[in-house]
Amino acid sequence: MFVIKRLFLFLLLTGLYACGGGSSTDTKTTPTDTPQTQPEPEPNPEQEQEQEQEPEQEPEAEPLVVEGNETFSILLDSDAIKIYEIGNCGDTPGSNTSHRVYIDNSNTINGDIWNWVDNAAAAWDGISKANTAYAISRTSNANDANCSNVATYNHILVKKLGDWTNQHANGFWVTSKSDETIGQLGTVIFDMYYDSANTILPSAAAIEAAYGAGMTGEQLAAWEDSLFRLDIRVDGVEETSDNGSIYKAAYNLALTPEYADKWLRIEIPLTSFEFIRSVGYDNFTSDQATVGTKSLRAIGFVAETKNRLVYRNYDQQGFSEETTAKLFKEIGLRIKRFEITPAE
């Protein structure tokens, strides 16, 4: 009987424990209005650096240079030469009074002009136009539709490719209005239009067909490249005490087709020119310091080949006035202004 009572008591206690009895404490947690705080992530140095960087901006457009009503946007910018396209082309306002103006569309060209082209002479067989088309006018005689109808000098300059006799078929010189030395010149400033309609440039294939038998491939490449080329020559006074030497600075301006049919402002510092001592037809390399001391005689403009030579220079024995092919390089240009700044 005692054993039964103890067994009954054991079963009773076990049941109370299994039902959660034996504890008077409420274990529920009362919710609060404050949300639980989550731990902050570790900082990422690379992400912070990206956030600190300024956002990338579009590059600003090249600023326009403005002179009077005209604008000048840069097409080529180097230490050797700068080329701008002239917008709203018109009369150029009076430039800095310290600039020496040699060509102005309101004045006549003060200097020598020539035109050797004669349609009756066999030497000019194959020239594209009548000889009068190559005449050089001293006055600006054309109203240019691409430049607000202002007066311009319109020229077609010709270079013979075969023979050196009258190789510069036409051209012109402008002379100084006062005594000065070549060394007093600073930067050439030249407003011109590359007129593709009046430009004829024999192709490399045509040149090789005409003259390739007497020249090597290297000679052909060095001689001519079928580009518009205007030679600007700054000549000193003849030095009679130095075997008749003429000291000069020359720049062979080459323009690719992308510059065609645009009004351009071209700026070339004298330091970019070649410096030459000429004795008769022989040219020798000189230097700026020597050439700079010489009195300026005139500035000339002619059409030119890449290295200023003609076929006859390469093949004097094989050259014949009667049988050697006749090719001509014709460059059409219009000029509005040519001036030079003083040397610094």
Side-chain angles (χ1 to χ4, degrees):
M1 186 69 173
F2 178 77
V3 174
I4 294 172
K5 288 183 178 180
R6 290 188 64 177
L7 179 60
F8 177 80
L9 180 61
F10 173 78
L11 293 172
L12 179 63
L13 292 173
T14 303
L16 289 172
Y17 183 78
C19 293
S23 173
S24 60
T25 305
D26 191 348
T27 58
K28 292 182 180 179
T29 302
T30 304
T32 64
D33 294 332
T34 304
Q36 293 181 350
T37 303
Q38 298 293 329
E40 295 184 0
E42 291 293 326
N44 185 336
E46 293 183 359
Q47 187 177 14
E48 289 183 357
Q49 186 175 3
E50 290 177 0
Q51 292 175 351
E52 291 174 359
Q53 290 178 348
E54 297 261 341
E56 292 187 5
Q57 297 181 353
E58 292 292 327
E60 294 184 2
E62 187 73 30
L64 291 176
V65 178
V66 180
E67 184 176 320
N69 293 324
E70 294 181 326
T71 60
F72 302 86
S73 54
I74 192 72
L75 299 179
L76 175 63
D77 188 358
S78 71
D79 292 336
I81 183 172
K82 289 178 170 54
I83 301 179
Y84 301 84
E85 182 176 1
I86 302 176
N88 198 32
C89 183
D91 277 319
T92 303
S95 64
N96 189 310
T97 55
S98 67
H99 294 190
R100 191 80 69 190
V101 179
Y102 294 92
I103 301 175
D104 185 328
N105 64 346
S106 63
N107 297 312
T108 59
I109 292 178
N110 179 30
D112 297 329
I113 61 176
W114 75 94
N115 173 30
W116 301 116
V117 179
D118 179 358
N119 295 115
W124 303 103
D125 289 349
I127 205 77
S128 70
K129 297 176 177 61
N131 65 325
T132 53
Y134 307 103
I136 302 297
S137 174
R138 291 185 181 276
T139 59
S140 52
N141 57 6
N143 294 325
D144 197 296
N146 299 99
C147 193
S148 303
N149 288 319
V150 302
T152 59
Y153 302 88
N154 292 14
H155 297 145
I156 304 172
L157 301 181
V158 180
K159 164 83 173 187
K160 280 185 179 180
L161 294 186
D163 189 10
W164 59 48
T165 301
N166 295 333
Q167 60 179 294
H168 299 115
N170 59 352
F172 61 100
W173 295 90
V174 293
T175 55
S176 175
K177 297 178 182 179
S178 64
D179 293 335
E180 57 192 331
T181 64
I182 294 175
Q184 290 177 289
L185 307 179
T187 298
V188 164
I189 301 176
F190 191 26
D191 289 355
M192 63 155 283
Y193 185 92
Y194 169 177
D195 181 3
S196 67
N198 285 317
T199 296
I200 296 177
L201 305 171
S203 67
I207 293 170
E208 184 174 8
Y211 307 115
M215 300 176 67
T216 67
E218 289 183 354
Q219 288 174 330
L220 283 167
W223 173 42
E224 177 56 358
D225 53 12
S226 300
L227 291 181
F228 177 110
R229 284 186 175 271
L230 173 69
D231 215 39
I232 303 170
R233 304 180 175 186
V234 182
D235 275 22
V237 174
E238 182 177 352
E239 305 281 329
T240 55
S241 60
D242 186 12
N243 298 320
S245 296
I246 296 177
Y247 290 84
K248 62 183 68 176
Y251 191 91
N252 195 333
L253 172 65
L255 295 177
T256 54
E258 65 189 290
Y259 296 107
D261 304 319
K262 298 180 176 72
W263 270 100
L264 306 172
R265 170 158 291 184
I266 299 169
E267 298 181 358
I268 313 167
L270 191 68
T271 52
S272 297
F273 281 59
E274 299 171 66
F275 300 97
I276 302 165
R277 171 178 168 258
S278 294
V279 183
Y281 293 106
D282 296 323
N283 292 324
F284 306 92
T285 300
S286 187
D287 58 82
Q288 185 176 359
T290 301
V291 173
T293 63
K294 307 304 179 182
S295 296
L296 174 65
R297 182 182 71 85
I299 303 170
F301 304 84
V302 293
E304 198 49 276
T305 56
K306 181 179 178 181
N307 64 3
R308 303 190 176 98
L309 300 179
V310 297
Y311 171 71
R312 190 171 180 177
N313 292 109
Y314 290 96
D315 188 18
Q316 296 184 35
Q317 298 302 317
F319 176 83
S320 165
E321 290 187 10
E322 290 75 26
T323 62
T324 299
K326 297 176 178 62
L327 289 182
F328 305 93
K329 188 173 189 176
E330 305 182 26
I331 62 169
L333 70 157
R334 308 172 197 169
I335 303 171
K336 183 160 67 79
R337 192 175 184 84
F338 181 89
E339 63 186 51
I340 304 180
T341 69
E344 296 181 354

